[in-house]
Amino acid sequence: MLALLFDVNETLLDLSALDEPFTEFFGDPEARRTWFQSVLHTAMAVTAADDYVSFSDIGAAAIRQLADARGLPVDEAVALARRLQDLPPHPDVVPALTLLAEAGARMATLTNSPAPVVQNQLRNAGISDYFEAAISCDQVHALKPAPQPYRHAADVLGLPIGEVTLVAAHGWDIHGAQAAGARGAFVARPGQRLLPVGQPPAITGPDLLDVARQLVAATERGK
């Protein structure tokens, strides 16, 4: 049986939907990417230091810093970041999740975002019913790619971690999951790459539907 954990931001949900409002506010078409890269960089530094700060707090701090550096209203910038809860799914997401559900896969999400945020994200994107659990790293006070979130997610599913596969569009997330003992399936969305070190995952595809087909085929071969 397939047991899958899905990253949310950029894997399931399309952050490019924020490009236009970020460009309008900051006057810079790269502002959304600059902000989210700062969020990820800060989260990595906090995790490497064996510290913990909520991902939402990191997101708000990063956009305050970006707005302040450009002399823009900080409160308006923080409100803009909250639109992360209203992202649409990538076009391949519903067909892929439907295929996996029809194949009998167990599916949950695992994200750095706090539980209320990811629950709103999945509901607003219209995909919450595909998942039996929306697991947050807040529950273990450690952000991905630390090992604790992946192991906690396997515990929530009641499975050994070696029977769980993380599906993600971030190389660092795949690396973290595999280092923790899980399997990985990489969605090579535009601009995303695996890390240049570590074991590559058994499954890589250009989009989620391709990855879903490979996962189902691999399960069928294993029967």
Side-chain angles (χ1 to χ4, degrees):
M1 180 185 64
L2 279 170
L4 306 173
L5 297 170
F6 288 82
D7 174 56
V8 175
N9 294 317
E10 296 190 303
T11 301
L12 296 177
L13 304 184
D14 186 2
L15 264 69
S16 70
L18 295 177
D19 287 352
E20 183 175 343
F22 266 71
T23 300
E24 289 177 359
F25 181 77
F26 286 100
D28 177 5
E30 293 299 315
R32 191 270 302 172
R33 294 179 182 84
T34 300
W35 166 67
F36 200 64
Q37 285 301 314
S38 176
V39 172
L40 293 180
H41 177 82
T42 303
M44 298 287 180
V46 166
T47 300
D50 197 22
D51 196 1
Y52 177 74
V53 180
S54 164
F55 197 69
S56 288
D57 289 345
I58 291 172
I63 204 164
R64 281 196 298 267
Q65 183 182 62
L66 186 62
D68 187 59
R70 302 185 186 198
L72 294 170
V74 170
D75 289 346
E76 292 181 30
V78 172
L80 183 61
R82 294 195 190 102
R83 294 176 69 169
L84 196 70
Q85 298 189 39
D86 295 307
L87 297 173
H90 286 284
D92 56 354
V93 167
V94 169
L97 295 179
T98 300
L99 175 66
L100 291 165
E102 290 173 349
R106 294 183 63 189
M107 295 185 283
T109 59
L110 175 62
T111 177
N112 279 334
S113 298
V117 172
V118 69
Q119 288 163 2
N120 285 338
Q121 286 184 305
L122 298 176
R123 182 174 58 252
N124 292 340
I127 57 174
S128 58
D129 288 347
Y130 286 100
F131 303 105
E132 64 180 78
I135 304 166
S136 170
C137 293
D138 263 7
Q139 294 161 0
V140 291
H141 278 217
L143 297 174
K144 297 186 295 180
Q148 297 96 314
Y150 308 104
R151 292 170 181 161
H152 171 67
D155 289 343
V156 170
L157 295 179
L159 295 170
I161 192 167
E163 295 181 13
V164 174
T165 298
L166 177 83
V167 181
H170 299 119
W172 55 264
D173 206 357
I174 296 293
H175 185 89
Q178 293 188 157
R183 302 167 185 167
F186 180 61
V187 184
R189 297 209 181 278
Q192 300 295 340
R193 296 177 179 81
L194 290 166
L195 297 189
V197 298
Q199 182 70 26
I203 290 176
T204 295
D207 56 51
L208 189 61
L209 185 55
D210 183 84
V211 166
R213 288 170 175 151
Q214 291 186 60
L215 286 165
V216 171
T219 302
E220 291 296 324
R221 287 195 300 271
K223 289 183 178 178

